[in-house]
DNA sequence: GCAACTTCTGGGAGCGCTCCCAGAGATAGA
DNA sequence: TCTATCTCTGGGAGCGCTCCCAGAAGTTGC
């Protein structure tokens, strides 16, 4: 069943039927009624390919997650939550979501090529962009529509993105540790190829420096995964820190394990602060003090932003900075 | 840049250029070379909408996850792993994946309508189908191509699916508990609206019955979420079970928490077996004895199956039963 | 009364591909 | 040599929509 047939059944032209579907105002109430009735009884849905061919819009949003499996998996619910947020915004505006996942250990270059080759989506949401990311570079160079989650590693003034105030949030986390009287505060960073990691380090460093508590040897460049938290904490313990701020919750969980295995207590001997407030943060003992940001909101904001840009409702580039909140729990002496 | 322009630059007709792209054998080596060169230097990609319009194939696979957020999220990595598996198969055959996520607390009916309305995908992968699932019923009734992950709740002989031997695996888990000498074995089931949960219960019941150890009061209908494991274990403890088999790992984790809070020991007082071997299974203390199935393999098998059906390489319906494996850990007295 | 709008309608062209068909040219078999 | 077969090519139609345009019909203002 195609538009032509609907039109015939409703005794109007193909054009009028099309007008009804696209909510054009120049249709008589009578004709509209008849067309809608036929559409309803035939359960008609216009062919999206035909539509896309002429409108040059597929109403599909691409989401590229170039991280390897071990990050996407596991106790890290960041990406699922982001996807859920994107889904909600995408549904509301009657779009669909095309998902690109990197294969395990896939090179960024190969991944980028794969995503770029498929031209179905009108625009892309990019996550976990690293410095000199081929996909990112391609999108910028070819002037294709996209929105980033997190701060871009380059061209920040030319790119639309949704981020949180990483510098401010890291500073707040660090100030909290200072306020509870810690003097030797360590930092296990997130991935320093990602802007988030860099900014959190910056907020940390500024704050300890202002308090006269900056010790470079207590700063360990890491990754977001738990293994790094564990291993780097083991390296830190001989340096006798009394607190550690981790770039991500999973790393913090690894760190806590290392502290416990060394026979030390959290928070009494070493206070721990994470970042992200993942689900696991409340599931460990003691519960983790951390920075909460609503990942779902970031996802839906990014999707809405992209669609608004595509529809011309918003000017490119456009930035959103989402709020964060310090959640104090047992790992720094709060309750829980 | 469109096919016409490529043809012109390569001094061939549109038809010949199209033949090169679609790997038709009736093209002279010379012409093929010229076309490929132009395609390469212009970075040409054929317009997918135009292609879809005539071939009636979009090379897009839809994946529908009708579960509400709290299942998709959290420490349950089932769906992310499934998606990763699907992604790998989909990439290999040059397809793309369209993802439908239910909104939080969205009614199945609304979700189904949304998925059905969008006609882009050539076929669908359905997960977590419940009894009388509107999406499932629609797909069957309208004879649309789809593949199920898990055993279908109905029409099993007319539907293609990928599953594991739930009955057999549950029996193996139960036999293990019997072998280590347990006499009062409880079962906290998975969702009994999903076939997986039903089959696991069946395997459990058969096995305890054969051993003369069936106590109906020790069977608690539950859900896969941790809260259920926790709450139902609290109800079970006064009945003095010495072992519990849970329909899923997350429920098992909840159960362990309840056991510990009651001042009992795992596995000494109550041995615990889970199902799924999620990431968390090794992260808790004691580590969880559980049934392992490679969720990623299930995902990629389902995607491959769907594509093979669409391409006519496989007859519909087609079934795959994937292997499972009992992994013995600390929660039943193994090491770890 | 007529001009000038506004509302409503249908036809035609065209989006960028694939695929069918007819035909040219080369090769082989008798 | 002639026919049969295979290889290669280009033109045309058509996939199912949207959108432009021309024109009919109805409404308003003088």
């Amino acid at each position: 069943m195609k538009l032509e047939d609907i039109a015939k059944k409703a005794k109007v032209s193909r054009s009028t039927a099309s007008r009804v579907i696209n909510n054009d105002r120049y249709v008589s109430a009578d004709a509209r009624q008849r067309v809608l009735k036929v559409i309803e009884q035939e359960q008609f849905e216009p062919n999206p390919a035909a539509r896309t061919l002429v409108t040059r819009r597929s109403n599909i949003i691409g989401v590229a997650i170039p991280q390897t499996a071990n990050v996407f998996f596991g106790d890290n619910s960041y990406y699922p939550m982001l996807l859920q947020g994107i889904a909600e915004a995408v549904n509301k505006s009657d779009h669909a979501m095309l998902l690109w996942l990197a294969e395990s250990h896939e090179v960024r270059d190969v991944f980028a090529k794969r995503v770029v080759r498929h031209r179905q989506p009108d625009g892309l949401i990019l996550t976990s962009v690293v410095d000199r990311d081929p996909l990112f570079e391609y999108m910028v160079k070819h002037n294709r529509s996209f929105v980033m989650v997190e701060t871009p590693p380059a061209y920040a003034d030319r790119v639309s993105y949704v981020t949180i105030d990483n510098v401010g949030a890291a500073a707040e986390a660090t100030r909290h540790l200072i306020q509870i009287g810690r003097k030797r505060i360590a930092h296990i960073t997130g991935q320093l190829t990602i802007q988030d990691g860099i900014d959190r380090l910056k907020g940390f460093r500024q704050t300890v420096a202002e308090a006269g508590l900056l010790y470079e040897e207590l700063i360990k460049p890491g990754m977001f995964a738990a293994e790094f938290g564990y291993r780097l904490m083991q390296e830190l313990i001989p340096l006798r820190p009394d607190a550690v701020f981790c770039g991500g919750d999973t790393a913090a969980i690894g760190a806590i394990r290392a502290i416990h295995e060394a026979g030390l207590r959290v928070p009494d001997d070493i206070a721990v602060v994470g970042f992200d407030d993942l689900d696991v943060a409340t599931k460990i003992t003691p519960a983790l003090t951390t920075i909460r940001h609503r990942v779902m909101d970031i996802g839906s904001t990014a999707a809405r932003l992209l669609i608004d840009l595509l529809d011309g409702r918003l000017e490119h580039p456009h930035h959103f900075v989402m709020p964060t909140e310090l959640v104090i729990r047992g790992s720094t002496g709060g309750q829980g």
Side-chain angles (χ1 to χ4, degrees), chain A:
Chain A
M1 185 68 54
K2 52 183 195 166
L3 189 59
E4 187 92 47
D5 307 319
I6 298 294
K8 211 162 281 171
K9 282 212 172 199
K11 301 198 187 312
V12 295
S13 71
R14 209 185 48 233
S15 302
T16 299
S18 173
R19 282 188 194 99
V20 172
I21 287 174
N22 293 292
N23 256 314
D24 189 293
R25 50 190 295 251
Y26 292 123
V27 181
S28 65
D30 187 52
R32 168 163 283 129
Q33 198 98 29
R34 290 203 313 276
V35 173
L36 286 177
K37 199 179 142 198
V38 177
I39 287 177
E40 173 63 26
Q41 81 191 24
E42 299 291 335
Q43 298 240 47
F44 173 73
E45 283 297 334
N47 182 315
R51 237 174 173 178
T52 300
L53 185 55
V54 31
T55 60
R56 287 141 198 293
R57 281 290 297 271
S58 64
N59 288 347
I60 295 178
I61 293 294
V63 180
I65 302 185
Q67 288 284 22
T68 48
N70 55 343
V71 177
F72 184 58
F73 288 1
D75 46 18
N76 193 327
S77 56
Y78 179 80
Y79 288 112
M81 276 170 53
L82 196 69
L83 289 180
Q84 184 82 21
I86 294 171
E88 310 223 327
V90 146
N91 292 342
K92 266 189 199 66
S93 51
D94 207 35
H95 283 234
M97 157 167 56
L98 203 65
L99 180 62
W100 297 110
L101 294 181
E103 304 204 1
S104 334
H105 307 103
E106 185 173 38
V107 201
R108 292 242 167 197
D109 223 57
V110 179
F111 179 73
K113 217 159 261 160
R114 187 145 49 76
V115 174
V116 163
R117 263 172 42 73
H118 283 78
R119 293 172 30 190
Q120 283 110 336
D122 297 326
L124 245 48
I125 293 180
L126 299 189
T127 67
S128 309
V129 167
V130 296
D131 194 29
R132 320 240 5 111
D133 195 306
L135 181 53
F136 177 70
E137 300 278 340
Y138 177 93
M139 297 298 284
V140 172
K141 188 174 154 206
H142 289 75
N143 210 21
R144 303 242 283 212
S145 299
F146 74 100
V147 161
M148 272 197 57
V149 165
E150 305 134 25
T151 321
Y155 321 118
D157 51 332
R158 292 201 269 137
V159 164
S160 291
Y161 57 87
V162 176
T163 187
I164 52 173
D165 177 12
N166 280 295
V167 179
E172 189 182 2
T174 311
R175 267 198 307 276
H176 169 61
L177 290 169
I178 294 171
Q179 270 161 15
I180 62 170
R182 304 301 158 131
K183 301 291 181 203
R184 288 185 58 79
I185 306 174
H187 180 34
I188 295 173
T189 78
Q191 226 160 310
L192 292 183
T193 47
I194 292 181
Q195 195 61 32
D196 282 0
I198 297 172
D199 287 347
R200 290 170 197 180
L201 169 56
K202 188 172 165 195
F204 170 80
R205 190 178 258 134
Q206 277 176 3
T207 310
V208 283
E210 280 165 18
L213 298 173
L214 173 58
Y215 307 105
E216 285 292 344
E217 72 274 18
L218 293 183
I219 297 176
K220 291 281 181 187
M223 300 272 247
F224 292 114
E227 303 93 84
F228 286 89
Y230 179 72
R231 200 154 50 67
L232 294 173
M233 194 66 222
Q234 286 180 326
E235 293 178 21
L236 280 168
I237 286 172
L239 307 177
R240 311 221 134 267
D242 55 12
V244 61
F245 166 49
C246 297
D249 279 355
T250 40
I253 284 162
I256 289 177
R257 188 152 48 90
I259 295 169
H260 284 157
E261 285 182 10
L264 298 172
R265 290 159 306 163
V266 177
D268 311 61
D269 298 311
I270 302 179
V272 179
V273 177
F275 205 112
D276 290 338
D277 194 28
L278 302 182
D279 226 69
V280 275
T282 58
K283 300 232 167 123
I284 55 164
T285 316
L288 191 62
T289 293
T290 186
I291 295 289
R292 170 183 297 166
H293 49 116
R294 295 285 300 141
V295 180
M296 258 184 68
D297 291 349
I298 293 177
S300 59
T301 303
R304 237 178 302 123
L305 169 56
L306 178 55
I307 293 168
D308 284 347
L309 289 171
L310 290 168
D311 289 347
R313 275 191 299 273
L314 238 45
E315 285 288 302
H316 179 82
H318 211 276
H319 309 323
F320 281 103
V321 178
M322 308 293 285
T324 63
E325 177 191 357
L326 177 69
V327 182
I328 299 171
R329 300 203 185 94
S331 72
T332 60
Q335 53 199 356

